[in-house]
C-alpha cells in the first residue's frame, strides 16, 4: 500500500486505431464470408429437403385433382422421404386396385340387373301367354258347358216328349184297339 514512484507511459492512438480497424475489417470479412457460406449451405440443404417434398406434394395434388392413381412418387435420396414415397405408391396402387374392383363389381351388377330384367320380361310374356291361353280355354269350356246344357235340355225334352207320347199313345192305342174290336163285332 506504499507509493514508491510514478511511471508515465506515453503512446499514440494512431497505431491502436489502425490495429483495431484492421481487426474489424478482418472480422467483418470473415463474418460475411461465414454468413455467405452458411447461407449457401442452408440453400443447398433446403433444396435437398424441399424439392422431394414439393414433388410429393404436387403428386398428391395431381392425384386428388385428376383421380389418376397410376402415378408413382419419385425416388428421393433421403431415406425418410423415400419411405414416404414408397408408402404413397403402395397407397395409390391399392386405391387403383380397389377402384378397378369396384368398376368390375358395378359392371357385374349392371349385367346381373340386365339379365334379371330380361328374365322378368320373358316370364311376364310367358305369364301373359299362359293367361291368354287360360282365358281361351275358359271361354271354350263355357262354350262346351253351354252346349252340354243344350244337349241335356234336348235329351230331357226328348225323354219328356217320349214319356208324353207314350202316355198319349197308350190311351189312343187302347182306343184304336177297342174301336177296331167293336167294329169287328158290329160287322
Amino acid at each position: 500500500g506504499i507509493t514508491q514512484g510514478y511511471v508515465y507511459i506515453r503512446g499514440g492512438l494512431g497505431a491502436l486505431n489502425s490495429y483495431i480497424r484492421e481487426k474489424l475489417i478482418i472480422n467483418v470479412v470473415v463474418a460475411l464470408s461465414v454468413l455467405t457460406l452458411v447461407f449457401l449451405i442452408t440453400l443447398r440443404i433446403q433444396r435437398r429437403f424441399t424439392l422431394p417434398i414439393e414433388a410429393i406434394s404436387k403428386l398428391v395434388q395431381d392425384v386428388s385433382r385428376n383421380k389418376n392413381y397410376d402415378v408413382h412418387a419419385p425416388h428421393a435420396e433421403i431415406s425418410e422421404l423415400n419411405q414416404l414415397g414408397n408408402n404413397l405408391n403402395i397407397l395409390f396402387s391399392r386405391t387403383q386396385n380397389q377402384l378397378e374392383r369396384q368398376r368390375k363389381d358395378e359392371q357385374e351388377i349392371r349385367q346381373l340387373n340386365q339379365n334379371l330384367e330380361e328374365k322378368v320380361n320373358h316370364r311376364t310374356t310367358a305369364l301373359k301367354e299362359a293367361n291368354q291361353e287360360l282365358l281361351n280355354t275358359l271361354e271354350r269350356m263355357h262354350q262346351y258347358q253351354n252346349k252340354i246344357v243344350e244337349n241335356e235340355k234336348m235329351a230331357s225334352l226328348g225323354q219328356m216328349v217320349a214319356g208324353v207320347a207314350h202316355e198319349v199313345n197308350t190311351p189312343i192305342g187302347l182306343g184304336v184297339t177297342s174301336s177296331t174290336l167293336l167294329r169287328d163285332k158290329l160287322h
Side-chain angles (χ1 to χ4, degrees):
I2 300 172
T3 302
Q4 300 285 327
Y6 296 98
V7 174
Y8 293 101
I9 300 176
R10 202 172 192 194
L13 290 176
L16 184 60
N17 284 339
S18 170
Y19 176 75
I20 291 175
R21 252 186 254 126
E22 285 177 18
K23 288 293 183 187
L24 187 62
I25 290 174
I26 291 172
N27 286 341
V28 168
V29 169
V30 168
L32 287 177
S33 299
V34 168
L35 286 176
T36 304
L37 183 63
V38 167
F39 180 73
L40 292 175
I41 290 172
T42 304
L43 283 179
R44 179 156 172 98
I45 291 173
Q46 180 186 7
R47 276 194 213 124
R48 184 168 184 225
F49 285 106
T50 58
L51 288 179
I53 292 173
E54 286 175 359
I56 290 173
S57 176
K58 286 179 184 178
L59 179 77
V60 170
Q61 288 174 355
D62 182 51
V63 167
S64 68
R65 263 190 239 120
N66 301 328
K67 307 293 187 224
N68 181 14
Y69 296 99
D70 288 333
V71 296
H72 293 288
H75 180 73
E77 295 178 12
I78 301 168
S79 64
E80 289 84 2
L81 293 178
N82 195 32
Q83 186 177 5
L84 175 65
N86 289 338
N87 289 337
L88 282 175
N89 290 339
I90 292 169
L91 175 69
F92 293 156
S93 174
R94 287 180 181 171
T95 304
Q96 181 69 24
N97 291 340
Q98 183 66 27
L99 289 175
E100 286 297 320
R101 244 184 275 126
Q102 183 179 359
R103 283 187 204 117
K104 286 179 184 177
D105 291 345
E106 287 173 356
Q107 180 64 28
E108 186 177 334
I109 287 171
R110 275 190 229 110
Q111 185 65 35
L112 289 173
N113 282 339
Q114 186 176 4
N115 290 344
L116 185 60
E117 285 180 21
E118 288 175 7
K119 284 181 181 180
V120 166
N121 289 338
H122 178 70
R123 288 183 180 173
T124 302
T125 303
L127 185 60
K128 284 180 183 178
E129 290 173 358
N131 281 342
Q132 187 61 40
E133 187 176 325
L134 284 173
L135 288 174
N136 292 341
T137 303
L138 186 61
E139 182 65 30
R140 280 191 305 240
M141 287 178 69
H142 283 303
Q143 289 173 357
Y144 291 146
Q145 184 180 16
N146 289 338
K147 285 182 183 178
I148 289 172
V149 168
E150 272 305 308
N151 288 341
E152 285 182 12
K153 282 182 185 178
M154 294 304 264
S156 294
L157 184 62
Q159 286 176 353
M160 187 172 77
V161 167
V164 168
H166 177 70
E167 291 296 324
V168 170
N169 281 339
T170 301
I172 291 176
L174 286 175
V176 169
T177 306
S178 298
S179 69
T180 305
L181 184 64
L182 284 174
R183 189 178 47 144
D184 284 342
K185 283 191 180 188
L186 283 176
H187 280 281

